[in-house]
């Protein structure tokens, strides 16, 4: 917003959350700071991955867990790579988000389990420049929100792994995003 943009739409469906995942056979049953073993290996996609890294690190911090002091942090470049590192035993826990976990092959998914989920935030926004005409911004919103109404649009959404499509949104929904 401070750079001259405003929100016009967002990804529809479930709220945006980060999740912390362990192997199904992990001794960790819940995210209890007192029960976490020292130097636990945790994997993230990359430092800027909002749900997987930023939101989960902030969540752990709110629980009193200093991630960089308590864990051995490893970055794997993508959500899928972080989950496969967990599945392969390279890390003990991974930060990710639900769509990435759902996209894993069934045998991988079945070998993993979620032990914590961050508080929800609004889904990913679509923003336009403030100097765009309202008519053009409205046209973009119409195209996005109507994609799911045709077979071709459904195919486009499916290709983006966004079967829930888009809904109209505004700046007010994002005012508290990222607040500590």
């Amino acid at each position: 917003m401070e750079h001259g943009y405003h929100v016009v739409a967002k990804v529809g469906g479930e709220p945006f959350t980060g999740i912390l995942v362990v192997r199904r056979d992990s001794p960790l049953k819940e995210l209890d700071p007192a029960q976490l073993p020292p130097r636990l290996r945790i994997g993230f996609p990359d430092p800027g991955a909002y749900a997987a890294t930023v939101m989960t690190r902030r969540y752990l911090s709110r629980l009193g867990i200093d991630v960089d002091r308590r864990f051995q942090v490893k970055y794997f470049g993508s959500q899928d790579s972080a989950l496969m590192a967990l599945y392969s035993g390279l890390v003990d826990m991974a930060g990710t988000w639900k769509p990435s976990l759902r996209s894993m092959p069934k045998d991988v998914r079945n070998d993993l389990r979620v032990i914590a989920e961050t508080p929800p935030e609004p889904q990913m926004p679509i923003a336009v420049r403030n100097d765009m005409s309202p008519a053009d911004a409205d046209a973009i919103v119409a195209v996005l929100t109507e994609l799911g109404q045709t077979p071709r649009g459904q195919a486009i959404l499916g290709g983006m792994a966004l079967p829930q499509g888009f809904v109209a949104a505004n700046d007010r929904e994002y005012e508290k995003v990222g607040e500590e």
Side-chain angles (χ1 to χ4, degrees):
M1 291 179 232
E2 65 221 28
H3 298 287
Y5 290 82
H6 65 277
V7 175
V8 295
K10 66 180 178 180
V11 172
E14 66 189 303
F16 200 51
T17 62
I19 55 175
L20 291 160
V21 182
V22 296
R23 289 182 50 89
R24 187 155 308 280
D25 60 3
S26 170
L28 296 173
K29 302 301 178 204
E30 60 184 331
L31 194 58
D32 178 357
Q35 300 298 316
L36 293 175
R39 304 304 294 157
L40 188 87
R41 300 170 301 162
I42 188 167
F44 296 112
D46 67 71
Y50 192 70
T53 306
V54 175
M55 289 177 70
T56 55
R57 286 178 69 102
R58 185 172 58 219
Y59 177 75
L60 290 164
S61 178
R62 287 178 181 157
L63 293 176
I65 300 168
D66 182 332
V67 173
D68 295 311
R69 291 180 72 135
R70 291 281 305 269
F71 297 147
Q72 294 177 47
V73 179
K74 299 174 186 268
Y75 294 101
F76 293 95
S78 74
Q79 307 266 354
D80 291 354
S81 295
L83 285 167
M84 290 307 295
L86 173 64
Y87 177 74
S88 301
L90 297 175
V91 293
D92 306 302
M93 182 186 306
T96 189
W97 69 323
K98 290 178 185 178
S100 291
L101 182 59
R102 284 194 298 262
S103 75
M104 288 286 102
K106 187 177 181 179
D107 59 325
V108 172
R109 251 189 351 261
N110 288 342
D111 206 31
L112 305 177
R113 65 183 162 81
V114 176
I115 63 165
E117 184 172 351
T118 68
E121 293 190 5
Q123 264 291 356
M124 293 180 282
I126 305 296
V128 299
R129 288 174 41 139
N130 289 338
D131 61 359
M132 178 180 278
S133 76
D136 288 344
D138 290 346
I140 290 170
V141 172
V143 167
L144 290 173
T145 58
E146 294 170 9
L147 268 176
Q149 297 175 14
T150 66
R152 183 165 183 248
Q154 290 169 359
I156 291 168
L157 291 169
M160 295 189 302
L162 296 173
Q164 66 277 17
F166 296 91
V167 296
N170 59 57
D171 291 344
R172 286 185 308 279
E173 295 178 56
Y174 294 86
E175 288 174 349
K176 296 200 182 284
V177 169
E179 287 184 357
E180 289 297 321

